Amino acid sequence: MKKLSQYLMLIGIGFPILFTGCSHLSVPANKSGNLDTILTSLRENAEVQDYVCSHNSKEIAVIYSKGEQESFAVISTQTGQETTIKDKDLTGSLNLYSPEWSYDDAYLSVSEGTCVVHRTFVIDASTQKKRDELRNTGMVWAANQDRIIYATVDESIRPVVETELSGSSELMCYNAATKKKTTIVSPSPKYLYYPISFDGTGNRLIYDRTDLQNDDKYELALNIPLHNQTSSSS
């Protein structure tokens, strides 16, 4: 059996890791002072693992731990007020990582797990409640729409080469506002798919397709209109 990690290495991704006190999005200079104060205060009693600033710079989403207890919270950069996301799936020792905001800061997401197929939780930023859960091998938010493209597994179709996946790879589109899920690249037993990024319109997706038989990798583009149509395997 070929290890799926081989394919993940080929397309430039590895397994989830925890970050220690580093943001994966830049912070505007006029907010950096508030952010530094907030993080300094938080680090006095906890280990900050990862954080990301909202696009409007008014809030940060942060993952931190105290002992074996891990928390995911939203903190106002204006007041310093913290709101912990209280959900049974987001408490305890979880290996949370990669907090992200939707383009309009209406939603945020955070991923969990150390397996090839992990869970991404979608959260309503206005209520701080979990909205949905996506099982995936990789995901990306659209640049200007509340949509997520994620790679998932169809267990009804066996891949041509045995991997760590329990089925074949496909690409799905998730609408955070409606919770609708649409297939955009149908599952194929021959390929492994991984979403990379959107262009500025939020309608054109760049993704990787890896051939499971010969390990050839191709970077492809796909137009995804607002009213999604199922695409054939490509």
Side-chain angles (χ1 to χ4, degrees):
M1 181 181 74
K2 286 190 176 182
K3 290 288 187 180
L4 187 60
S5 54
Q6 294 175 321
Y7 303 119
L8 297 181
M9 289 175 66
L10 281 170
I11 59 178
I13 57 173
F15 293 100
I17 60 172
L18 293 180
F19 299 87
T20 303
C22 64
S23 169
H24 56 274
L25 280 187
S26 61
V27 180
N30 62 338
K31 300 296 180 186
S32 61
N34 289 349
L35 182 59
D36 289 344
T37 300
I38 290 169
L39 293 175
T40 297
S41 177
L42 188 59
R43 287 182 177 126
E44 290 177 357
N45 300 301
E47 179 183 353
V48 176
Q49 296 170 322
D50 199 4
Y51 65 88
V52 61
C53 193
S54 61
H55 295 90
N56 63 14
S57 306
K58 293 181 178 180
E59 296 177 301
I60 58 170
V62 60
I63 302 166
Y64 66 86
S65 61
K66 295 181 179 180
E68 296 183 357
Q69 185 72 24
E70 203 166 41
S71 296
F72 182 49
V74 174
I75 303 176
S76 169
T77 58
Q78 313 294 312
T79 66
Q81 180 178 350
E82 175 184 332
T83 302
T84 302
I85 308 299
K86 294 181 178 179
D87 186 277
K88 62 181 179 64
D89 289 324
L90 290 166
T91 57
S93 180
L94 298 170
N95 293 314
L96 295 176
Y97 64 99
S98 192
E100 296 185 58
W101 294 88
S102 62
Y103 85 103
D104 58 358
D105 299 324
Y107 305 96
L108 60 155
S109 64
V110 65
S111 295
E112 177 272 332
T114 57
C115 298
V116 173
V117 180
H118 48 268
R119 299 188 296 172
T120 295
F121 302 106
V122 181
I123 297 154
D124 188 319
S126 63
T127 63
Q128 285 84 45
K129 294 185 182 298
K130 186 182 77 173
R131 186 162 179 78
D132 219 328
E133 174 183 324
L134 307 175
R135 291 187 176 271
N136 66 95
T137 58
M139 54 80 68
V140 60
W141 279 98
N144 64 350
Q145 299 166 17
D146 289 326
R147 298 191 295 172
I148 293 173
I149 302 299
Y150 64 102
T152 189
V153 179
D154 185 332
E155 296 185 350
S156 68
I157 302 176
R158 302 299 303 174
V160 293
V161 175
E162 187 178 0
T163 71
E164 293 169 276
L165 294 179
S166 57
S168 292
S169 180
E170 65 179 321
L171 290 179
M172 303 283 293
C173 177
Y174 172 76
N175 187 312
T178 65
K179 301 176 71 172
K180 182 179 180 181
K181 300 171 184 176
T182 307
T183 300
I184 58 170
V185 176
S186 299
S188 169
K190 298 187 297 181
Y191 302 120
L192 173 71
Y193 301 112
Y194 187 82
I196 301 174
S197 64
F198 275 91
D199 68 1
T201 68
N203 290 326
R204 189 170 178 81
L205 172 74
I206 308 299
Y207 68 99
D208 273 344
R209 186 189 73 186
T210 301
D211 191 311
L212 294 176
Q213 293 178 296
N214 57 29
D215 293 345
D216 286 344
K217 182 185 72 171
Y218 299 92
E219 188 174 284
L220 305 174
L222 178 67
N223 288 323
I224 306 174
L226 283 173
H227 301 289
N228 306 121
Q229 301 293 326
T230 301
S231 170
S232 59
S233 300
S234 57

